[in-house]
Amino acid sequence: SQTYGIDYNETYSAVLAQTSLRLLICIAVNQNWRIYQRDFTTAYLNAPLLTPIYIQQPEGFVEHGKENMVCLLNKTLYGLKQAGRAWHESLFQVIRESGYQQSLKEPCIWFKTEEKGITIMGIYVDDILITGNNDEEIKNISQIMGDKFKMKDLGEVHQFLGIEVINTGKGILLTQRKYVEEIVKKYGQENCKETRVPMAKIFIKDEEAIQGNDYPIRQALGSLM
């Protein structure tokens, strides 16, 4: 029931591009830096609302004698159109106040250069990669964000955005093997023959099932993309 211009304005929130992610990892590999991963818990619930939003009293929490009253939200909820943008604005403000600069070409890349070294962060909604040669600053910014928002320290990165990150000793291997296997199994394609052509044609055994919309072809194509 949200109305543009009344309940929300901007909905855009920046996300880390795949090319930026690969470049960030490439820099870390070339400089022999470790890459650490942080994950925010219920990120959207941390962002303050800039426009008044009212909701019905949640089921099980209706106050006796005040059944007709509503609740005024102080912070965003998952499902609100402006939640993603509000979260990023809150997070970016904390990072900016910590002395970090935002990349001009990639809004989700932040860096800080000091005498002790450089620290770089890549942000994708509520997932963060941190790398650099200033271990003290990595601990410091992690502490600052952890004090402000509920956050999990996942140690060195092993999986990010469905991409497995494997340290081979000679470099880092990025693979989506596990994700691909899950898709193949989910859509019943385990027995299909492989092809060297990346996308030749999708073969479905039961053509009638497709015509009858019984096969989730749109979901399958979306997963492949």
Side-chain angles (χ1 to χ4, degrees):
S1 63
Q2 286 186 275
T3 304
Y4 175 72
I6 299 176
D7 302 310
Y8 70 95
N9 293 301
E10 295 288 339
T11 61
Y12 170 80
S13 60
V15 292
L16 185 68
Q18 275 241 359
T19 48
S20 301
L21 170 63
R22 294 171 67 89
L23 181 59
L24 178 67
I25 293 174
C26 189
I27 291 171
V29 170
N30 283 325
Q31 298 296 326
N32 199 26
W33 295 342
R34 292 185 176 183
I35 308 172
Y36 301 96
Q37 186 175 5
R38 306 287 186 262
D39 178 45
F40 293 101
T41 305
T42 57
Y44 286 6
L45 305 185
N46 293 294
L49 267 173
L50 301 179
T51 52
I53 297 287
Y54 296 90
I55 63 169
Q56 293 178 344
Q57 295 181 57
E59 185 178 344
F61 293 90
V62 179
E63 194 169 338
H64 182 67
K66 298 181 180 179
E67 289 83 1
N68 294 327
M69 297 187 75
V70 294
C71 299
L72 171 64
L73 283 179
N74 291 321
K75 295 189 177 181
T76 56
L77 288 177
Y78 284 84
L80 290 179
K81 295 182 182 295
Q82 68 268 48
R85 180 169 179 79
W87 156 246
H88 266 159
E89 288 298 315
S90 300
L91 177 61
F92 286 0
Q93 182 178 350
V94 171
I95 296 173
R96 191 179 294 111
E97 290 174 352
S98 300
Y100 281 77
Q101 290 181 274
Q102 189 175 29
S103 168
L104 297 176
K105 295 293 184 180
E106 169 60 87
C108 286
I109 292 289
W110 291 78
F111 60 94
K112 184 176 184 179
T113 305
E114 299 176 296
E115 289 184 6
K116 294 182 179 179
I118 185 171
T119 308
I120 308 175
M121 285 194 291
I123 302 169
Y124 192 101
V125 187
D126 56 357
D127 285 308
I128 289 186
L129 292 185
I130 308 177
T131 189
N133 58 354
N134 189 345
D135 293 337
E136 185 179 327
E137 174 56 28
I138 291 175
K139 292 179 181 177
N140 180 53
I141 188 62
S142 298
Q143 182 68 46
I144 291 172
M145 293 188 295
D147 290 342
K148 186 69 176 179
F149 311 109
K150 192 175 181 180
M151 187 181 73
K152 291 184 290 186
D153 183 345
L154 302 179
E156 291 193 45
V157 62
H158 295 291
Q159 186 166 325
F160 191 77
L161 307 180
I163 301 172
E164 289 180 80
V165 182
I166 303 170
N167 194 328
T168 64
K170 295 182 179 179
I172 287 181
L173 173 67
L174 302 179
T175 172
Q176 288 184 287
R177 181 185 179 93
K178 185 177 179 182
Y179 176 71
V180 171
E181 288 175 345
E182 288 175 356
I183 293 175
V184 169
K185 187 176 181 180
K186 180 178 180 180
Y187 296 105
Q189 303 295 306
E190 300 100 313
N191 298 321
C192 284
K193 295 180 180 179
E194 64 180 29
T195 174
R196 292 185 180 276
V197 182
M199 186 67 176
K201 182 178 178 181
I202 296 179
F203 292 94
I204 309 298
K205 295 179 182 178
D206 192 352
E207 293 289 343
E208 294 180 2
I210 299 177
Q211 298 299 327
N213 291 326
D214 291 331
Y215 189 85
I217 190 69
R218 289 184 180 179
Q219 292 93 316
L221 287 172
S223 297
L224 287 172
M225 291 172 68

